[in-house]
Each structure stands twice: as structure tokens, then as C-alpha cells.
């Protein structure tokens, strides 16, 4: 990733009613060291983040990302983010994005051990070229996440529905998929319920109905999935959140992994077995996802 810009934020309290937070932003050199060695984000992965897609300078679905940041903060007992401040930081970051696709990352960490405040920063980078994957699709393997479907409710300290900085296991799952000759993975619960990709949401097509695993199952509620479901409904399709067994993926008429930067990647095979792949429909989904969305 080519880093283009970075801002440190002095986090404002959620009830701070100022309308202009510009003086809480400090522009920093994105290629120079910036964090203290005592940072708990680096020492323990103790923090949360969001990755926002930017197309031709327009940051996509900012409100949905800020809502999820606030939800993750609540699950992790971090201070509630001041949404006005973060929205202004996103606007400032988006103004640094050239034409084409970029990624804005929002990061809120618990800060320095025994320090006074959380640490917050925003980065801007050029997005990788995802055109080939959007056109040709991806092969996936099914990987056991190791938790049963009741674990998120029984053990909320696992933070399964929060977008935490602890993505080492998610990255390990993608490496395992590569070792098995595939491009990406779909997690299932240990009792065989479909969950999500390590960095994406799963959507299945069943005739003219599109379904996705319910977010209550300890998965992230994808901003791209939410936005796509609204578009599919406007096109006359039905959508729904369901508890889906693994067989639903094998039997789907088509399936995609969706995320804010890669957008829609059609699944061409599952554990080596081909899945129907609709290149034209996938292209129309990605045209929608690349259009300005709020
Ligand atoms: N699930 C996980 C675990 C993710 O990391 C992501 C992407 O960040 C998603 C789902 C999809 O979310 P979004 O569409 O908001 O990028």
C-alpha cells in the first residue's frame, strides 16, 4: 500500500458539542514513526479500526462506518467516539485522495499503558488494484473458526462482533486458504453455521432472494453488504438475514464475498467444487458499489 497522508486526532469526548474540530487534528508524516513504544495497539492489538473505501475522492458509507466504530468501541469498553470529530477527520482525509480508489483507515486504540487518553489516528493510502478479482472472482475454502454458534452470546469477551485490531487470526486464515490452493476463506462455526470471510461478508443468491448470515452470530455487520442489500431491494429482489448451514453455500445459485475496498468478489469454487459464477451480474454489483454512496 502506498501511504499518502496521516492525521493524529486528540480524541474529543462524545458529548463535546463543538462544531469545528480542526484544531484537534495534527498532520503527521505517514512514512515516519509516530507511536509510542508503550502503545497498547501494537503491544496487545487492543483497539478498533475501520477501513473506508474512497472512489474519486468520495468516501463511501461514512455514517455506517462511524456507527460500526461506535459499536466496536462499546463492545471493547473504549470511550464512545465523537462522531462529528471523526466525520470531519474523514472529510479532511478524503480531500487528500487523488482520482481513483483509496482507503481511509480510522484507528482508535486504548492508548499508552497508564496513559491519559486513547490514541486515535487516520491514514490515507492508495488502494490495491482489485479489478482482476472483481472480474474473475475467487476460490474459497471453508475454515472452522473454532467457536460454536452460541459462543458470541456465552463469551462476549471474545469480542467476536467488534472490528478489533487483533487480525492475526484473520490473516492466518487467508494464508491457510493460500496453502490449500485457494484465494480466500469462509469461516464456519464449529457446529457448521456459515459466518463471514476473514475480511469480508458472505452473500448467497437463492433464485431472486439474497441472504447473508445474521450479524448476531458474532460476525461484523458489513457496510458493503448493508448498502448492497438496499440496492438489491431497489432492483426488486428480496433480501434476508438467516442462519445458514454450510450446505447453503454449496447449493447457492451464486455467492460473493463483500468488503469496502475489494467490493464484490464472486466465489467461483468452494473447497475445489465449482460454484455458478455470474460475471455480468457481478459487474453490475461492482458498478453500483463504485458509484458515490452515502
Ligand atoms: N467481516 C470482517 C471480519 C471484515 O474484516 C470485514 C471488512 O472489513 C467485513 C466483514 C466487511 O465489512 P465492510 O463491508 O464494512 O468492509
Amino acid at each position: 500500500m502506498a501511504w499518502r497522508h496521516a492525521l493524529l486526532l486528540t480524541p474529543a469526548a462524545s458529548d463535546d458539542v463543538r462544531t469545528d474540530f480542526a484544531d484537534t487534528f495534527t498532520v503527521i508524516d505517514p512514512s515516519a514513526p509516530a507511536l509510542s513504544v508503550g502503545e497498547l495497539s501494537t503491544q496487545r492489538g487492543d483497539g478498533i479500526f475501520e477501513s473506508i473505501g474512497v472512489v474519486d475522492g468520495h468516501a463511501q458509507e461514512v455514517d455506517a462506518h462511524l456507527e460500526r466504530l461506535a459499536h466496536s468501541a462499546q463492545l471493547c469498553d473504549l470511550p464512545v467516539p465523537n462522531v462529528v470529530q471523526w466525520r470531519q477527520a474523514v472529510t479532511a482525509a478524503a480531500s487528500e485522495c487523488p482520482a481513483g480508489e483509496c482507503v481511509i483507515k480510522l484507528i482508535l486504540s486504548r492508548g499508552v499503558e497508564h496513559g491519559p487518553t486513547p490514541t486515535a489516528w487516520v491514514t490515507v493510502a492508495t488502494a490495491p488494484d482489485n479489478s482482476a478479482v472483481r472480474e474473475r472472482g475467487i476460490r474459497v475454502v471453508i475454515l472452522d473458526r473454532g467457536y460454536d454458534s452460541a459462543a458470541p452470546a456465552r463469551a462476549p469477551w471474545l469480542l467476536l462482533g467488534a472490528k478489533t485490531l487483533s487480525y492475526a487470526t484473520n490473516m492466518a486464515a487467508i494464508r491457510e486458504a493460500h496453502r490449500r490452493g485457494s484465494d480466500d476463506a469462509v469461516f464456519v462455526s464449529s457446529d457448521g453455521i456459515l459466518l463471514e470471510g476473514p475480511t469480508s461478508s458472505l452473500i448467497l443468491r437463492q433464485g431472486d432472494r439474497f441472504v447473508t448470515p445474521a450479524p448476531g452470530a458474532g460476525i461484523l455487520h458489513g457496510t458493503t453488504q448493508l448498502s448492497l442489500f438496499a440496492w438489491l431491494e431497489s432492483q426488486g429482489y428480496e433480501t434476508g438475514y438467516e442462519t445458514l448451514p454450510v450446505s447453503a453455500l454449496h447449493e447457492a445459485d451464486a455467492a460473493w464475498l463483500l468488503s469496502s475496498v475489494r467490493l464484490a468478489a464472486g466465489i467461483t469454487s468452494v473447497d475445489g467444487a465449482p460454484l455458478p459464477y455470474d460475471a455480468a451480474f457481478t459487474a453490475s454489483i461492482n458498478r453500483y458499489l463504485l458509484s458515490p454512496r452515502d
Side-chain angles (χ1 to χ4, degrees), residues 3-14:
W3 301 104
R4 303 192 64 93
H5 190 73
L7 285 177
L8 267 180
L9 272 61
T10 307
S14 59

Side-chain angles (χ1 to χ4, degrees), residues 257-281:
L257 288 182
L258 293 182
S259 51
S260 295
V261 179
R262 190 171 67 181
L263 304 180
I267 297 179
T268 57
S269 72
V270 179
D271 288 337
L275 200 70
Y277 176 67
D278 186 340
F281 193 70

Side-chain angles (χ1 to χ4, degrees), residues 61 224-236 239 288:
E61 302 288 351
T224 320
Q225 171 268 312
L226 261 174
S227 173
L228 182 66
F229 270 23
W231 180 76
L232 288 168
E233 283 159 23
S234 76
Q235 306 295 303
T239 63
Y288 163 67

Side-chain angles (χ1 to χ4, degrees), residues 65 68 163 167 196-201 220 222-224 258-260:
H65 281 285
R68 194 170 59 189
K163 195 165 168 68
Y167 258 48
E196 62 186 343
T199 60
S200 54
S201 309
L220 294 191
T223 62
T224 320
L258 293 182
S259 51
S260 295

